[in-house]
Amino acid sequence: MMLNTHIIGLGAYLPERILSNVELSTMVETSDEWIRERTGIKQRHIIAKAQHTSDLAVAAAQQALDDAGISIDDIDALVVATTTPDMIFPSTASIVQYKLGGKGFPAWDIQAVCSGFVYALAQVDGMMKSGMFKRVLLIGAESMSRIVDWTDRNTCVLFGDGSGAVVLEAKDKNIQGGMVGSVLHCDGSYRHLLMAEHQYNGNAPGEMSDFRVDAAGVAAIEMKGNEVFRVAVTKLGEVVGEVLDKYHLKQSDVDWLVPHQANIRILKSTAKKMKMTEDRMVVTVGEHANTSSASVPLALHHLYKQNKLEVGQLLLLEAFAGGFAWGANLVRWSKS
Ligand code: UT7
């Protein structure tokens, strides 16, 4: 039997603590006005001291399972896209599996920074179409606040924490909708423009406040913002055209653009390139900031919760990340 991959459940989680631009401007030399104008960000959610990335992942995953009307026992594989794992090893996916009460089925992490969810969806889709798994729990979860240098105004205003999850199910290809396909890219010659060079220490206790971590041994994001911006705009403009061409679809076939949420100006530029009105594009960057691999599933969940999705609609998911790694997925909505 030929198979296709369908989204049958969605979930999301944002930590309670909100850090506004105004509060941030008491920590570094910035202003609400600058951040809003240059990025569209108004606030970000920050993980609690006692929480780990796996806790954020579990909350979104449980919601996605409930939404699909199934339990962890019905899952055949679990994948977590994350850049901020609880530990170097074991994988955050194995910790999430344990915390959800699952056992036995494979679980692994994917690291493609902000493109993690788009990469993971492409990978899992291929595996499911081949018949390897019937139901997969796919999560994007990040605690970016733990790898941000809270004294660097160039980067600390941009990121936030959160998680989003989907349950995927392989169904007969004759059933309408499901995954259309994906394209992925990476160009490591850009690796130095956006990176966190040092060893990550996700368990470091927050010494300075409820979210800042002790600086010693902790990774910090370094970014040449305007160079990243320039390449992101170009590559995203290309990749949306490429994925549509690959599957013989047109810009006008796309009902919803579900972009990675890094900067409102990048989002608008992609929408313009696709000749889409902005009301067909999901924008959560104002409330969530850049949540890396959680950003696309959080945006998708936001759209879902607004009851705007209709069976048969075409969704274009896209992301651009450190690496640089970027990509896009096309999904024909099939969840009623
Ligand atoms: O997830 C995927 C990867 N990330 C991205 O896609 C992010 C891509 N980059 C961006 O979104 C933008 O480049 C930024 C929002 C990071 C920066 O915006 P920009 O318009 O490219 O500004 P810039 O870096 O060229 O800096 C302009 C000025 C500089 O001052 P001078 O040198 O002109 O005096 C910065 O020092 O703005 C200054 N600046 C700030 N001022 C107030 C930088 N950060 C801040 C800040 N508050 N937080």
Side-chain angles (χ1 to χ4, degrees), residues 127-201:
M127 297 173 101
M128 294 184 80
K129 279 177 175 147
S130 79
M132 194 161 176
F133 304 117
K134 169 96 174 133
R135 288 197 198 94
V136 178
L137 184 50
L138 172 55
I139 309 159
E142 300 280 13
S143 32
M144 298 305 281
S145 64
R146 298 242 164 102
I147 60 166
V148 157
D149 175 354
W150 289 102
T151 64
D152 177 14
R153 71 173 184 177
N154 290 293
T155 51
C156 75
V157 303
L158 303 174
F159 296 94
D161 303 332
S163 61
V166 292
V167 177
L168 300 167
E169 185 172 88
K171 296 186 184 181
D172 188 324
K173 201 170 174 15
N174 292 323
I175 294 172
Q176 202 211 351
M179 286 292 296
V180 178
S182 308
V183 292
L184 303 176
H185 290 285
C186 181
D187 185 343
S189 67
Y190 291 111
R191 69 201 178 284
H192 57 289
L193 294 179
L194 177 51
M195 61 183 186
E197 198 176 2
H198 305 291
Q199 183 174 302
Y200 172 66
N201 184 2

Side-chain angles (χ1 to χ4, degrees), residues 28-31 34-35 38-39 114 153-155 157-159 194 223-229 232 260 262-263 265-266 290 320-322:
V28 286
E29 205 182 320
T30 189
S31 65
W34 190 96
I35 303 171
R38 298 292 182 113
T39 70
C114 305
R153 71 173 184 177
N154 290 293
T155 51
V157 303
L158 303 174
F159 296 94
L194 177 51
M223 175 168 73
K224 298 253 183 331
N226 43 18
E227 292 180 55
V228 178
F229 187 96
H260 168 51
N263 185 321
R265 292 185 289 143
I266 300 178
N290 181 347
F320 185 85

